[in-house]
PDB file of all heavy atoms in Angstrom:
ATOM      1  N   LEU A 360     -15.081  -9.108 -17.665  1.00  0.00           N
ATOM      2  CA  LEU A 360     -14.655  -9.136 -16.261  1.00  0.00           C
ATOM      3  C   LEU A 360     -13.690 -10.295 -16.008  1.00  0.00           C
ATOM      4  O   LEU A 360     -12.693 -10.142 -15.288  1.00  0.00           O
ATOM      5  CB  LEU A 360     -15.883  -9.257 -15.358  1.00  0.00           C
ATOM      6  CG  LEU A 360     -15.674  -8.855 -13.896  1.00  0.00           C
ATOM      7  CD1 LEU A 360     -15.443  -7.354 -13.776  1.00  0.00           C
ATOM      8  CD2 LEU A 360     -16.875  -9.269 -13.051  1.00  0.00           C
ATOM      9  N   LYS A 361     -13.965 -11.430 -16.632  1.00  0.00           N
ATOM     10  CA  LYS A 361     -13.070 -12.579 -16.468  1.00  0.00           C
ATOM     11  C   LYS A 361     -11.702 -12.297 -17.066  1.00  0.00           C
ATOM     12  O   LYS A 361     -10.665 -12.659 -16.484  1.00  0.00           O
ATOM     13  CB  LYS A 361     -13.691 -13.822 -17.110  1.00  0.00           C
ATOM     14  CG  LYS A 361     -12.854 -15.076 -16.920  1.00  0.00           C
ATOM     15  CD  LYS A 361     -13.513 -16.293 -17.574  1.00  0.00           C
ATOM     16  CE  LYS A 361     -12.646 -17.537 -17.381  1.00  0.00           C
ATOM     17  NZ  LYS A 361     -13.237 -18.730 -18.037  1.00  0.00           N
ATOM     18  N   ARG A 362     -11.681 -11.649 -18.234  1.00  0.00           N
ATOM     19  CA  ARG A 362     -10.388 -11.299 -18.852  1.00  0.00           C
ATOM     20  C   ARG A 362      -9.599 -10.366 -17.943  1.00  0.00           C
ATOM     21  O   ARG A 362      -8.381 -10.506 -17.806  1.00  0.00           O
ATOM     22  CB  ARG A 362     -10.612 -10.648 -20.219  1.00  0.00           C
ATOM     23  CG  ARG A 362     -10.984 -11.610 -21.322  1.00  0.00           C
ATOM     24  CD  ARG A 362     -10.730 -10.988 -22.694  1.00  0.00           C
ATOM     25  NE  ARG A 362     -11.543  -9.799 -22.893  1.00  0.00           N
ATOM     26  CZ  ARG A 362     -12.707  -9.776 -23.517  1.00  0.00           C
ATOM     27  NH1 ARG A 362     -13.223 -10.900 -23.997  1.00  0.00           N
ATOM     28  NH2 ARG A 362     -13.380  -8.639 -23.670  1.00  0.00           N
ATOM     29  N   MET A 363     -10.274  -9.396 -17.351  1.00  0.00           N
ATOM     30  CA  MET A 363      -9.604  -8.481 -16.426  1.00  0.00           C
ATOM     31  C   MET A 363      -9.068  -9.224 -15.218  1.00  0.00           C
ATOM     32  O   MET A 363      -7.950  -8.955 -14.745  1.00  0.00           O
ATOM     33  CB  MET A 363     -10.565  -7.378 -15.980  1.00  0.00           C
ATOM     34  CG  MET A 363     -10.880  -6.347 -17.041  1.00  0.00           C
ATOM     35  SD  MET A 363     -12.089  -5.123 -16.474  1.00  0.00           S
ATOM     36  CE  MET A 363     -11.124  -4.273 -15.203  1.00  0.00           C
ATOM     37  N   ALA A 364      -9.863 -10.162 -14.707  1.00  0.00           N
ATOM     38  CA  ALA A 364      -9.425 -10.942 -13.541  1.00  0.00           C
ATOM     39  C   ALA A 364      -8.179 -11.757 -13.869  1.00  0.00           C
ATOM     40  O   ALA A 364      -7.237 -11.836 -13.067  1.00  0.00           O
ATOM     41  CB  ALA A 364     -10.559 -11.859 -13.079  1.00  0.00           C
ATOM     42  N   GLU A 365      -8.166 -12.359 -15.050  1.00  0.00           N
ATOM     43  CA  GLU A 365      -7.000 -13.156 -15.459  1.00  0.00           C
ATOM     44  C   GLU A 365      -5.771 -12.275 -15.619  1.00  0.00           C
ATOM     45  O   GLU A 365      -4.652 -12.658 -15.228  1.00  0.00           O
ATOM     46  CB  GLU A 365      -7.312 -13.897 -16.755  1.00  0.00           C
ATOM     47  CG  GLU A 365      -8.340 -15.006 -16.581  1.00  0.00           C
ATOM     48  CD  GLU A 365      -8.826 -15.574 -17.896  1.00  0.00           C
ATOM     49  OE1 GLU A 365      -8.529 -14.961 -18.962  1.00  0.00           O
ATOM     50  OE2 GLU A 365      -9.509 -16.620 -17.889  1.00  0.00           O
ATOM     51  N   ALA A 366      -5.972 -11.093 -16.196  1.00  0.00           N
ATOM     52  CA  ALA A 366      -4.847 -10.167 -16.364  1.00  0.00           C
ATOM     53  C   ALA A 366      -4.336  -9.701 -15.008  1.00  0.00           C
ATOM     54  O   ALA A 366      -3.119  -9.589 -14.787  1.00  0.00           O
ATOM     55  CB  ALA A 366      -5.279  -8.969 -17.203  1.00  0.00           C
ATOM     56  N   SER A 367      -5.256  -9.422 -14.091  1.00  0.00           N
ATOM     57  CA  SER A 367      -4.867  -9.003 -12.746  1.00  0.00           C
ATOM     58  C   SER A 367      -4.053 -10.098 -12.053  1.00  0.00           C
ATOM     59  O   SER A 367      -2.992  -9.837 -11.480  1.00  0.00           O
ATOM     60  CB  SER A 367      -6.118  -8.668 -11.928  1.00  0.00           C
ATOM     61  OG  SER A 367      -5.787  -8.316 -10.601  1.00  0.00           O
ATOM     62  N   LYS A 368      -4.543 -11.322 -12.143  1.00  0.00           N
ATOM     63  CA  LYS A 368      -3.857 -12.450 -11.519  1.00  0.00           C
ATOM     64  C   LYS A 368      -2.453 -12.628 -12.082  1.00  0.00           C
ATOM     65  O   LYS A 368      -1.504 -12.966 -11.348  1.00  0.00           O
ATOM     66  CB  LYS A 368      -4.670 -13.726 -11.735  1.00  0.00           C
ATOM     67  CG  LYS A 368      -4.197 -14.931 -10.942  1.00  0.00           C
ATOM     68  CD  LYS A 368      -4.574 -14.813  -9.490  1.00  0.00           C
ATOM     69  CE  LYS A 368      -4.301 -16.093  -8.724  1.00  0.00           C
ATOM     70  NZ  LYS A 368      -4.632 -15.965  -7.286  1.00  0.00           N
ATOM     71  N   SER A 369      -2.300 -12.390 -13.385  1.00  0.00           N
ATOM     72  CA  SER A 369      -0.989 -12.572 -14.019  1.00  0.00           C
ATOM     73  C   SER A 369       0.039 -11.572 -13.495  1.00  0.00           C
ATOM     74  O   SER A 369       1.251 -11.801 -13.583  1.00  0.00           O
ATOM     75  CB  SER A 369      -1.113 -12.444 -15.540  1.00  0.00           C
ATOM     76  OG  SER A 369      -1.339 -11.089 -15.928  1.00  0.00           O
ATOM     77  N   LEU A 370      -0.431 -10.440 -12.981  1.00  0.00           N
ATOM     78  CA  LEU A 370       0.469  -9.425 -12.452  1.00  0.00           C
ATOM     79  C   LEU A 370       0.829  -9.650 -10.982  1.00  0.00           C
ATOM     80  O   LEU A 370       1.769  -9.041 -10.471  1.00  0.00           O
ATOM     81  CB  LEU A 370      -0.173  -8.039 -12.594  1.00  0.00           C
ATOM     82  CG  LEU A 370      -0.405  -7.535 -14.017  1.00  0.00           C
ATOM     83  CD1 LEU A 370      -1.187  -6.228 -13.982  1.00  0.00           C
ATOM     84  CD2 LEU A 370       0.915  -7.340 -14.745  1.00  0.00           C
ATOM     85  N   GLY A 371       0.053 -10.486 -10.303  1.00  0.00           N
ATOM     86  CA  GLY A 371       0.271 -10.701  -8.877  1.00  0.00           C
ATOM     87  C   GLY A 371       1.586 -11.406  -8.579  1.00  0.00           C
ATOM     88  O   GLY A 371       2.029 -12.262  -9.343  1.00  0.00           O
ATOM     89  N   LYS A 372       2.195 -11.040  -7.486  1.00  0.00           N
ATOM     90  CA  LYS A 372       3.453 -11.647  -7.054  1.00  0.00           C
ATOM     91  C   LYS A 372       3.279 -12.190  -5.626  1.00  0.00           C
ATOM     92  O   LYS A 372       3.710 -11.582  -4.647  1.00  0.00           O
ATOM     93  CB  LYS A 372       4.586 -10.612  -7.071  1.00  0.00           C
ATOM     94  CG  LYS A 372       4.819  -9.935  -8.412  1.00  0.00           C
ATOM     95  CD  LYS A 372       5.506 -10.845  -9.396  1.00  0.00           C
ATOM     96  CE  LYS A 372       5.881 -10.085 -10.665  1.00  0.00           C
ATOM     97  NZ  LYS A 372       6.501 -10.957 -11.675  1.00  0.00           N
ATOM     98  N   PRO A 373       2.628 -13.334  -5.491  1.00  0.00           N
ATOM     99  CA  PRO A 373       2.338 -13.850  -4.146  1.00  0.00           C
ATOM    100  C   PRO A 373       3.576 -14.200  -3.328  1.00  0.00           C
ATOM    101  O   PRO A 373       3.511 -14.247  -2.100  1.00  0.00           O
ATOM    102  CB  PRO A 373       1.484 -15.089  -4.420  1.00  0.00           C
ATOM    103  CG  PRO A 373       1.791 -15.467  -5.831  1.00  0.00           C
ATOM    104  CD  PRO A 373       2.073 -14.189  -6.552  1.00  0.00           C
ATOM    105  N   LYS A 374       4.703 -14.424  -4.002  1.00  0.00           N
ATOM    106  CA  LYS A 374       5.934 -14.781  -3.281  1.00  0.00           C
ATOM    107  C   LYS A 374       6.850 -13.583  -3.052  1.00  0.00           C
ATOM    108  O   LYS A 374       7.996 -13.755  -2.629  1.00  0.00           O
ATOM    109  CB  LYS A 374       6.704 -15.854  -4.078  1.00  0.00           C
ATOM    110  CG  LYS A 374       6.055 -17.217  -4.124  1.00  0.00           C
ATOM    111  CD  LYS A 374       6.918 -18.180  -4.920  1.00  0.00           C
ATOM    112  CE  LYS A 374       8.324 -18.290  -4.336  1.00  0.00           C
ATOM    113  NZ  LYS A 374       9.222 -19.126  -5.166  1.00  0.00           N
ATOM    114  N   ALA A 375       6.365 -12.388  -3.292  1.00  0.00           N
ATOM    115  CA  ALA A 375       7.237 -11.213  -3.219  1.00  0.00           C
ATOM    116  C   ALA A 375       7.904 -11.062  -1.850  1.00  0.00           C
ATOM    117  O   ALA A 375       9.107 -10.805  -1.756  1.00  0.00           O
ATOM    118  CB  ALA A 375       6.448  -9.945  -3.557  1.00  0.00           C
ATOM    119  N   ALA A 376       7.134 -11.193  -0.788  1.00  0.00           N
ATOM    120  CA  ALA A 376       7.703 -11.015   0.551  1.00  0.00           C
ATOM    121  C   ALA A 376       8.802 -12.043   0.813  1.00  0.00           C
ATOM    122  O   ALA A 376       9.873 -11.706   1.353  1.00  0.00           O
ATOM    123  CB  ALA A 376       6.616 -11.116   1.613  1.00  0.00           C
TER     124      ALA A 376
END
Side-chain angles (χ1 to χ4, degrees):
L360 199 69
K361 183 180 179 182
R362 284 199 298 264
M363 288 177 67
E365 291 170 349
S367 177
K368 190 75 171 178
S369 72
L370 295 174
K372 303 285 187 183
K374 291 181 58 185

